[in-house]
């Protein structure tokens, strides 16, 4: 964090100094060269604090942490987000269909899993309202092997 603060402070102070110097120098014919020089000085000023960055420590930290484990953690997090997103979409769609059929119930939760081949499997649905009517529609739409439970507020 200190390195970033130093880089920002250096960039701001160099930009301010270069803007003042550019206003003082009245020569128009050397404008391009002066701007190029000022840009070079600004880049040097911004990159100077970053040379304190310890690349060896970063590499060592990367090697001690198992990259394969990190990739597996990222894949698991992505799969979880995908399942949650699909679950919310399915809940919204099922509730819309139940509303269209004037069923006095709503789907509150689904147990969604994505198989290796990409297919979506729903094992369980929790509904509130008239469970009997909801069960008839959900079994018709999602299959007879779906386990339907009553939604309990926590």
């Amino acid at each position: 964090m200190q390195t970033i603060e130093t880089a920002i402070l250096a960039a701001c102070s160099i930009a301010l100094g270069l803007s003042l110097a550019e206003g003082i120098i009245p020569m128009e014919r050397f404008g391009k060269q002066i701007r190029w020089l000022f840009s070079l000085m600004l880049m040097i000023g911004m990159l100077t604090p970053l040379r304190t960055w310890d690349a060896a420590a970063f590499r060592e930290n990367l090697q001690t942490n198992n990259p394969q484990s990190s990739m597996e953690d990222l894949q698991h997090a992505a799969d979880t987000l995908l399942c949650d997103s699909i679950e919310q979409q399915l809940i919204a769609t099922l509730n819309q269909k139940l509303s269209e059929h004037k069923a006095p119930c709503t789907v509150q939760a689904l147990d969604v899993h994505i198989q290796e081949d990409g297919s979506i499997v729903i094992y369980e649905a929790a509904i509130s309202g008239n469970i009997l009517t909801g069960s008839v529609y959900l079994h018709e739409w999602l299959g007879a092997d779906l386990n339907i439970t009553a939604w309990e507020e926590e």
Side-chain angles (χ1 to χ4, degrees):
M1 191 66 176
Q2 181 68 25
T3 304
I4 294 172
E5 290 174 0
T6 306
I8 291 171
L9 180 64
C12 290
S13 60
I14 290 172
L16 179 65
L18 294 177
S19 296
L20 289 174
E22 190 176 50
I24 294 172
I25 300 173
M27 295 182 192
E28 294 290 328
R29 72 179 184 186
F30 294 117
K32 288 184 181 178
Q33 290 85 357
I34 291 172
R35 287 183 199 270
W36 183 84
L37 231 163
F38 286 165
S39 298
L40 180 65
M41 289 175 61
L42 181 63
M43 285 300 275
I44 290 171
M46 288 175 60
L47 295 176
T48 299
L50 296 177
R51 89 189 144 119
T52 61
W53 180 59
D54 191 4
F58 179 75
R59 268 188 254 115
E60 181 181 322
N61 187 23
L62 189 61
Q63 289 172 352
T64 56
N65 294 334
N66 186 357
Q68 185 64 30
S69 174
S70 297
M71 289 300 292
E72 289 171 359
D73 291 343
L74 285 174
Q75 184 63 43
H76 178 69
D79 290 343
T80 302
L81 285 173
L82 182 63
C83 275
D84 291 345
S85 174
I86 290 171
E87 178 182 333
Q88 294 305 313
Q89 286 295 109
L90 285 172
I91 289 172
T93 303
L94 289 171
N95 283 332
Q96 180 183 5
K97 287 290 197 185
L98 287 169
S99 175
E100 289 173 3
H101 286 87
K102 308 241 187 294
C105 62
T106 57
V107 177
Q108 299 292 334
L110 293 173
D111 185 17
V112 176
H113 296 280
I114 299 176
Q115 302 295 328
E116 291 292 323
D117 63 352
S119 62
I120 299 171
V121 179
I122 303 172
Y123 294 114
E124 186 174 359
I127 59 175
S128 62
N130 189 332
I131 297 172
L132 183 59
T133 304
S135 295
V136 171
Y137 282 118
L138 291 179
H139 280 135
E140 180 182 330
W141 297 331
L142 302 175
D145 57 340
L146 178 69
N147 184 24
I148 297 176
T149 59
W151 175 256
E152 296 179 13
E153 295 288 327
E154 294 179 2

